[in-house]
Amino acid sequence: MLRCRARGLHLGATALWGAQASAQKPVSPSPPLNLDDRKVFQHKANWEITRGLLVFLLCSSPQLVQKAPRLLSVSRRVLGRRLWDGLLRLTFYGQFVAGETPEEIKATLQRLRQLKVRPLLAVPIEEDVGQAKEGEGWYDMNAQAMLACLDLSVSGLSGESPRNPMMQLKITALMGAELCKTITLRLQEQEGALDLTVERVLALLKGQELRFGCLSPEENLHFQKSLSRLRSVAEVPFTVSKMLLLEEKKPSAVYAVGKKVRVLVDAEYTYINPALSLVTMAMMAACNAQVPWIWNTYQAYLKDTLKRLSQDMGLAERLGMCFGVKLVRGAYLEKERQRAREKGYPDPVHATWEATNESYRHCLDFALDKASRAGGRFELIVATHNKASVEHTVQRMTEMDINKNDGPVSFGQLLGMCDHISLPLGHAGYTVYKSIPYGSVEEVIPYLIRRAHENWSVLQGIREERDLLRSELWRRILRKP
């Protein structure tokens, strides 16, 4: 449904929200940051407070989260589609999703803008190993959904000029996870590593005709088509003739770079991440000559993250390209550990939560140092719900004199969570984004369940936000000032 609606969203977004206003309003001085504000939720309606408490209470139950797929399947059969749909819209869907129609998405983005929070739109489409699709049709439809997401990222801000719009991209929506796994395995071989270089992938991304000897003919063909889809989203310059482009019926190159949208490529599992990074670095080399339009994601819960981050930054410097980093702790901990046990290789994840926090801090300090000295050629989004990490970032930004408003450093959290961090940041003038999925209930709920399974540590950390919501509800019931 989401992909079927993509063309309608793609064509209707600009018409719905109108032309962008050319003038910016004067910026008034921002108040100081207060992450301990007990009245942070005063702007929320009573039903929003109640819904948040209910959803967080349910999400705090590990048994309920693990059994969610089965419970949702049974409840859909018992309640019927319409009642099931309506119930979810009042609870989980309403808490974490922007909506399905352009009007619903627009309303969500307007509310965020009033709260000084920016949207980071995410199309809830991905593929894992073992879920391969027949042919290229599914991936082609996903490419149209990504183009629609780019349009929404630009034109969804109530008619005013967007400020540094962003969107998330999962490469496995446009390229088969099986091929990503194969490329990752080939990169571990000497012959494959020499064959699958960033420079050669960049040449193919730009339209040159070449083949990779370490891949089969079928894999080469799918790789070529996948890069063509990524090229259409990112607006990579072609090196082939205009006539050939017309014959191949490529989309006009007016997206991502042309629309000035930063594309944050998500990291996924370690058995496909090297392939994702290879493609992302090639996209960076093609698009990031002057501005970091394409960003890569680094998962601090992996033991080798700081090393890979340093290596990728070195490659970026050698290739003369700008660099964008989305720094996260990581979401696939249990599956990574289980796979390591089953396959008999060392656990790639840090052994303790404290070690992960230390890794995150080291990566963060390394990236902040780069951002402070790069003159706009390096940008970072600190994607975390951890209060200590946010406070550390704010302190380092002050020490390094990094501009908090539209500077090289921003913050990111999930829609429907961590408002007690996001809202004070935005109110104090920091650049803060909310990751926002959108689409129909049937499309987005499975995506939310996967995120709940993967982000269990985050769900366990919602106690402070839940307590603040409960305190605000009692304040209203008792009519306290």
Side-chain angles (χ1 to χ4, degrees), residues 102-330:
E103 292 81 5
E104 291 171 344
I105 298 168
K106 176 190 175 183
T108 299
L109 302 190
Q110 284 179 327
R111 287 197 298 272
L112 288 176
R113 180 174 171 274
Q114 292 169 356
L115 297 171
K116 304 183 186 302
V117 175
R118 305 182 190 186
L120 172 56
L121 291 176
V123 181
I125 307 172
E126 60 194 335
E127 179 186 277
D128 196 4
V129 171
Q131 302 174 344
K133 309 299 186 296
E134 289 291 334
E136 302 292 333
W138 186 79
Y139 305 102
D140 289 339
M141 287 190 295
N142 293 345
Q144 292 301 314
M146 299 299 172
L147 297 178
C149 185
L150 283 164
D151 281 341
L152 290 171
S153 298
V154 172
S155 58
L157 298 176
S158 309
E160 292 201 9
S161 299
R163 299 168 66 184
N164 296 337
M166 293 182 176
M167 67 165 281
Q168 290 177 242
L169 171 70
K170 284 189 176 291
I171 286 180
T172 53
L174 306 178
M175 184 167 96
E178 292 287 351
L179 176 59
C180 293
K181 180 181 177 182
T182 298
I183 291 175
T184 296
L185 292 173
R186 297 294 177 265
L187 287 170
Q188 297 171 9
E189 305 165 356
Q190 183 177 4
E191 180 181 352
L194 294 173
D195 193 22
L196 289 159
T197 64
V198 170
E199 291 81 1
R200 296 198 78 218
V201 175
L202 173 62
L204 184 59
L205 188 64
K206 288 188 172 183
Q208 291 185 21
E209 292 292 333
L210 59 85
R211 295 289 184 270
F212 297 94
C214 62
L215 301 178
S216 70
E218 293 77 14
E219 290 166 343
N220 268 290
L221 180 60
H222 181 56
F223 196 23
Q224 181 180 8
K225 291 182 179 297
S226 299
L227 292 179
S228 177
R229 285 184 284 267
L230 287 163
R231 182 170 62 202
S232 72
V233 172
E235 192 200 6
V236 175
F238 294 100
T239 59
V240 291
S241 69
K242 182 177 179 181
M243 180 61 69
L244 181 58
L245 293 182
L246 292 174
E247 290 173 355
E248 291 180 353
K249 299 180 181 179
K250 302 296 182 188
S252 58
V254 294
Y255 289 92
V257 177
K259 289 181 174 289
K260 300 187 182 338
V261 177
R262 285 159 172 77
V263 178
L264 279 56
V265 179
D266 281 335
E268 300 183 45
Y269 298 102
T270 53
Y271 52 81
I272 62 174
N273 275 346
L276 304 184
S277 289
L278 173 68
V279 172
T280 303
M281 293 299 289
M283 292 172 64
M284 284 186 179
C287 300
N288 290 9
Q290 303 297 327
V291 177
W293 299 116
I294 309 297
W295 297 31
N296 201 10
T297 297
Y298 294 86
Q299 301 158 305
Y301 74 162
L302 299 176
K303 297 174 182 177
D304 65 344
T305 297
L306 182 58
K307 178 182 176 181
R308 289 187 297 103
L309 178 57
S310 178
Q311 289 174 340
D312 288 350
M313 285 185 182
L315 177 60
E317 291 176 0
R318 290 195 300 274
L319 295 178
M321 63 190 191
C322 300
F323 202 75
V325 169
K326 175 185 173 187
L327 184 61
V328 302
R329 275 176 169 75

Side-chain angles (χ1 to χ4, degrees), residues 106 143 315 332 393 472:
K106 176 190 175 183
L315 177 60
Y332 308 107
T393 304
E472 177 63 22

Side-chain angles (χ1 to χ4, degrees), residues 409-425:
V409 179
S410 55
F411 297 87
Q413 288 91 36
L414 298 174
L415 180 69
M417 294 182 67
C418 207
D419 284 352
H420 64 297
I421 300 293
S422 307
L423 301 186
L425 281 171

Side-chain angles (χ1 to χ4, degrees), residues 430-467:
Y430 290 88
T431 303
V432 57
Y433 291 84
K434 284 288 193 182
S435 175
I436 307 174
Y438 64 93
S440 69
V441 171
E442 291 187 335
E443 289 167 331
V444 180
I445 290 298
Y447 173 87
L448 293 179
I449 292 174
R450 291 194 297 273
R451 298 293 84 82
H453 287 165
E454 295 158 1
N455 290 277
W456 176 237
S457 62
V458 174
L459 292 177
Q460 288 179 309
I462 60 178
R463 180 177 301 173
E464 181 178 1
E465 187 168 8
R466 190 177 60 209
D467 290 345

Side-chain angles (χ1 to χ4, degrees), residues 1 5 9 89 93 97-102 104-105 438-441:
M1 182 69 178
R5 297 182 63 88
L9 288 170
R89 284 180 178 272
Y93 181 96
V97 184
E100 179 179 3
T101 67
E104 291 171 344
I105 298 168
Y438 64 93
S440 69
V441 171

